[in-house]
Amino acid sequence: MLELKNITYTVDADGQKRDILKNISLTIDERFVAITGPNGGGKSTLARMIAGIIQPTEGRLYLDGQDITDKSITERALAGISFAFQQPVRFKGLTVKDLITLAAGRDISISEACGYLSEVGLCAREYIGREINASLSGGELKRIEIAMIIARGTRLSIFDEPEAGIDLWSFNNLIQVFESMHEKLGGSIMIISHQERILSIADRVIVIADGSVRADGARGDILPELLSGQGTCSVLTDKL
């Protein structure tokens, strides 16, 4: 379970203080949570803060009751948090097998690595020995990154706009992968997204705008309001 208590993140912009996140308090223990909202509203900042890339100005974060506020990104990864960037990093010289082995944290066989690739819809024989370089498309990198997260088996897996920069075919496959992860993984999945198809398979939807939580509830309660553009979610009608 992840707990955020009174999280604020303030930056100095042109000599003036600006609150990117404003006193956010959340408890997340559902299997699949989607966070949505307008661009610049604070969603990605919140995701990076949970992962440990940035630190809050005020407030505390807890993972299963353990205070992780002051822990580094490496310490949080060891504690059970995985983070997938909008644009996956390319590692020239490392193969797909190398990355999945690193993610698993132990020596794994080629057949086991191939199993993780198969779970994300990639033909293992074609990918297992390939380098993580420019020869891979955005959709391929996204799925390899998801295979790494499955191999890690962490308590909390965070995906920051996984649909960004990929084609429709790859996006359709990503939806299938997330649905499968939802069924198989024992931890929580958190996805930052504008896409209705991703929001529609989440257990819970949280709307963040202007650094604050605007709406929070079960998919069946929040999604109809998002789609209709009424009430607290009207800021999102141009995105869904």
Side-chain angles (χ1 to χ4, degrees), residues 36 196 199-205 207 215-237 240:
T36 192
E196 178 186 347
L199 303 184
S200 67
I201 60 174
D203 299 315
R204 175 182 172 190
V205 176
V207 180
D216 179 7
R219 174 191 64 235
D221 296 328
I222 302 298
L223 193 55
E225 187 177 345
L226 285 172
L227 297 177
S228 67
Q230 298 177 353
T232 58
C233 300
S234 60
V235 293
L236 298 180
T237 53
L240 296 176

Side-chain angles (χ1 to χ4, degrees), residues 175-227:
I175 293 294
Q176 296 175 11
V177 170
F178 287 134
E179 288 176 327
S180 177
M181 286 181 67
H182 188 193
E183 296 173 359
K184 293 180 180 179
L185 292 185
S188 295
I189 302 168
M190 178 188 294
I191 298 185
I192 312 297
S193 181
H194 292 298
Q195 291 292 331
E196 178 186 347
R197 288 187 61 190
I198 290 179
L199 303 184
S200 67
I201 60 174
D203 299 315
R204 175 182 172 190
V205 176
I206 300 170
V207 180
I208 293 181
D210 192 29
S212 300
V213 176
R214 293 287 187 88
D216 179 7
R219 174 191 64 235
D221 296 328
I222 302 298
L223 193 55
E225 187 177 345
L226 285 172
L227 297 177

Side-chain angles (χ1 to χ4, degrees), residues 3-11 17-26 45-46 49-50 54-62 67-70 76 211:
E3 294 179 81
L4 288 74
K5 294 187 177 181
N6 308 115
I7 294 296
T8 294
Y9 182 63
T10 304
V11 297
K17 299 292 185 181
R18 180 189 173 197
D19 290 335
I20 306 299
L21 299 175
K22 306 172 182 177
N23 197 36
I24 290 180
S25 294
L26 292 168
T45 298
L46 182 64
M49 184 169 293
I50 294 170
I54 57 177
Q55 300 293 327
T57 306
E58 298 177 16
R60 311 299 296 178
L61 295 91
Y62 300 88
D67 190 337
I68 61 170
T69 311
D70 300 320
R76 295 190 196 193

